[in-house]
Amino acid sequence: MGIKVAKFGGSSVADGIQLTKTKQIIEQDPDRRYVVVSAPGKRFEGDNKITDLLYLCKTHIDHNLPYDQIFQVVADRFMAVEVNLGVDVDLLTQLETIRENLRRNPSADYIASRGEFLNAILVAAFLSFDFVDTAPLIKFDSRGKLLMEETDEALRDELAKHERAVLPGFYGSTPDGNIKTFSRGGSDITGALVARAIKADVYENWTDVSGFLMADPRIVKNPKQIKTISYKELRELSYMGAGVLHEDAIYPARMANVPINIKNTNDPADHGTMIIGEADFDDPAERNRIVTGIAGSKDFTVVALYKNMMSSERGFVRRILGILDDYNINFEHLPSGIDTVSVVMSNKDIGDRLDDVLDEFRSRLRPDSIDVLENIALIATVGRRMTLRTGVAARLFTALGEAGVNIRMIDQGSSEMNIIVGVENKDFEKAVRAIYNAFSEEE
Ligand code: ASP
């Protein structure tokens, strides 16, 4: 027997119907001993997430506007679940305590956390598991930074006392006892911390999709599911915009080497996506696969600087980065040639300051020429040992050429797992489809 931590996202716990599916999933496997829940999410298109409503209460309180009706919507949803599930957890008393606290204008973090708090109490009763509050266990320092080791120890010590437990996601507390939440979607992080603390065999993350797809389904029709992906590959893909999981959730699970299985509450038999430390190259399907996924996004600017003898001019790149630093702009990529270097930045970061930045480049770097490509989309093709295999880049570029896509930039870096191309925004979808078609038949 192993131990599984199962985290259920907002849509998996949105109402009595979803919670009944959740219960069946948990009861199907006795290894699912620790359950982390989000606050109830949307039940249908246009519905409200409990967390959003709670933040809305706070905004009203801050503006001295009545908030009782909004809080009543929250209260009604929880009470309906209590009735639907046939559990009795004295919700009224809990709601009254929260109402009292609201009168004292508590922090946004406290208010937002109550969605997870109430939900975990209900789910614990429904499953007949213990309720374990995460407030004293997930520890932040006074500036709000997560204290990993202290949290690890506190969770481990507490959970050793509980055979089975439900924990609320999303929050912990600071040394003065105040509630502190993670950023939005942070219940994923709670699940990962619990999985790490108890050395789970697997961290199951239950959501409303069956894991990751090789490409964005809004661009590629019926893309294949990614069955396994390494943490590193996932990091590359999510950086480029593919997201199902909170980015910070990967870190604790990775540290503890706990695989993460993304699963679908509405289709529990589906294998989902397994996120693992390293690809298992003994498995032929894994060994043969070249591309794991394709992700990208639009709206970047590439500034290509050319200067004769740049390669022997010391500090050139340092000065570029200094200028960007002065403007608080991140560079995304920095592909370089002998006498050229291109700076890739997101339009969002640059805002309306492109001309100012170019003036700085001209006066402080004195390049022979500057080319600016605006409205560039970046596409990352991520895979395993890609650059070690002959012909991968050729295949990718041929596919783009045949689709009539003009490649404006290439950055292969030294990582073996990523080829990034820059194309014009208007060619983005076409390029993603061409790359997908070139590599999706691998397995
Ligand atoms: N309920 C929180 C949110 O909506 C945290 C979570 O669901 O992970 O962001």
Side-chain angles (χ1 to χ4, degrees):
M1 225 178 75
I3 306 183
K4 290 180 180 167
V5 170
K7 180 257 165 181
F8 290 85
S11 61
S12 306
V13 291
D15 56 17
I17 302 172
Q18 289 302 92
L19 282 166
T20 307
K21 291 184 197 168
T22 294
K23 184 176 186 180
Q24 273 163 10
I25 290 168
I26 292 164
E27 288 181 348
Q28 235 162 40
D29 185 345
D31 289 354
R32 293 186 178 122
R33 286 174 42 195
Y34 299 102
V35 175
V36 173
V37 289
S38 281
K42 291 185 185 184
R43 293 159 296 178
F44 44 82
E45 204 40 51
D47 192 20
N48 291 304
K49 291 182 178 185
I50 291 290
T51 310
D52 291 335
L53 292 173
L54 291 167
Y55 279 121
L56 199 60
C57 282
K58 172 65 179 166
T59 311
H60 277 63
I61 296 172
D62 285 345
H63 290 83
N64 288 320
L65 291 168
Y67 58 88
D68 327 2
Q69 281 189 353
I70 307 169
F71 189 71
Q72 195 54 45
V73 177
V74 174
D76 287 347
R77 269 189 72 177
F78 280 113
M79 286 190 307
V81 172
E82 188 184 29
V83 172
N84 286 341
L85 302 184
V87 293
D88 180 9
V89 292
D90 197 8
L91 210 55
L92 284 176
T93 309
Q94 294 291 356
L95 289 167
E96 203 32 57
T97 310
I98 299 172
R99 272 201 189 89
E100 246 166 58
N101 289 334
L102 289 182
R103 280 181 213 119
R104 289 187 217 116
N105 192 4
S107 68
D109 285 22
Y110 166 78
I111 301 183
S113 72
R114 295 305 85 186
E116 271 69 13
F117 173 76
L118 293 172
N119 208 27
I121 293 179
L122 276 171
V123 176
F126 187 42
L127 297 174
S128 307
F129 280 24
D130 298 343
F131 164 73
V132 174
D133 193 6
T134 35
L137 305 176
I138 298 204
K139 294 174 184 286
F140 293 89
D141 70 12
S142 51
R143 283 179 304 176
K145 192 171 158 280
L146 175 69
L147 298 167
M148 275 281 248
E149 297 316 315
E150 286 85 340
T151 297
D152 198 51
E153 206 181 307
L155 281 168
R156 197 175 334 108
D157 290 352
E158 183 59 35
L159 293 177
K161 300 178 209 151
H162 305 269
E163 183 63 23
R164 293 174 189 279
V166 176
L167 301 94
F170 195 35
Y171 67 91
S173 61
T174 50
D176 52 13
N178 287 326
I179 295 284
K180 166 90 191 104
T181 61
F182 292 112
S183 57
R184 294 300 303 266
S187 299
D188 283 344
I189 310 173
T190 309
L193 290 169
V194 173
R196 174 178 183 234
I198 58 156
K199 300 194 169 42
D201 297 284
V202 57
Y203 166 31
E204 292 181 338
N205 193 293
W206 291 86
T207 170
D208 54 1
V209 290
S210 298
F212 301 109
L213 299 170
M214 263 187 85
D216 185 338
R218 289 167 300 186
I219 302 175
V220 172
K221 212 166 136 211
N222 290 328
K224 284 189 180 172
Q225 180 189 50
I226 301 177
K227 289 214 158 50
T228 56
I229 184 168
S230 67
Y231 292 125
K232 278 192 208 148
E233 289 170 318
L234 179 63
R235 174 89 187 99
E236 303 260 355
L237 284 175
S238 44
Y239 184 72
M240 293 299 283
V244 168
L245 194 67
H246 195 301
E247 282 225 5
D248 294 347
I250 301 168
Y251 180 66
R254 182 176 181 172
M255 261 178 77
N257 211 6
V258 179
I260 306 175
N261 193 184
I262 311 281
K263 299 268 289 175
N264 188 349
T265 302
N266 304 317
D267 187 6
D270 193 296
H271 164 286
T273 296
M274 195 63 125
I275 309 167
I276 49 174
E278 286 300 332
D280 174 10
F281 292 117
D282 292 338
D283 173 351
E286 289 297 304
R287 202 171 47 233
N288 295 336
R289 192 171 81 204
I290 302 175
V291 169
T292 304
I294 303 147
S297 40
K298 290 184 181 174
D299 298 329
F300 292 91
T301 295
V302 181
V303 177
L305 300 153
Y306 176 81
K307 188 172 188 180
N308 195 22
M309 304 300 283
M310 181 197 291
S311 55
S312 50
E313 184 176 325
R314 289 212 3 212
F316 195 83
V317 170
R318 182 170 45 76
R319 273 179 282 142
I320 296 180
L321 299 185
I323 295 170
L324 295 183
D325 213 22
D326 293 346
Y327 281 81
N328 212 357
I329 294 175
N330 273 323
F331 78 93
E332 303 286 328
H333 300 278
L334 207 65
S336 62
I338 304 287
D339 286 334
T340 62
V341 56
S342 299
V343 189
V344 184
M345 299 160 282
S346 79
N347 291 359
K348 208 165 77 221
D349 256 18
I350 301 176
D352 55 8
R353 299 172 300 167
L354 180 61
D355 287 334
D356 299 339
V357 173
L358 292 177
D359 282 347
E360 293 280 335
F361 280 169
R362 281 192 196 98
S363 68
R364 280 164 62 183
L365 302 167
R366 308 218 160 274
D368 296 333
S369 68
I370 296 188
D371 282 329
V372 181
L373 306 173
E374 287 180 77
N375 304 322
I376 292 292
L378 296 183
I379 303 169
T381 305
V382 174
R384 318 238 165 102
R385 304 195 291 189
M386 261 192 346
T387 52
L388 296 179
R389 304 190 204 201
T390 338
V392 175
R395 196 146 125 207
L396 192 145
F397 299 135
T398 306
L400 290 175
E402 282 171 359
V405 174
N406 191 6
I407 304 174
R408 307 301 304 261
M409 188 209 81
I410 300 168
D411 188 6
Q412 182 161 317
S414 54
S415 102
E416 305 164 1
M417 42 192 294
N418 206 347
I419 300 178
I420 293 170
V421 291
V423 303
E424 282 169 32
N425 270 348
K426 68 172 174 48
D427 286 336
F428 175 63
E429 286 82 6
K430 191 161 61 168
V432 170
R433 281 193 284 271
I435 300 172
Y436 177 83
N437 291 335
F439 290 102
S440 60
E441 293 311 322
E442 231 57 72
E443 294 165 59

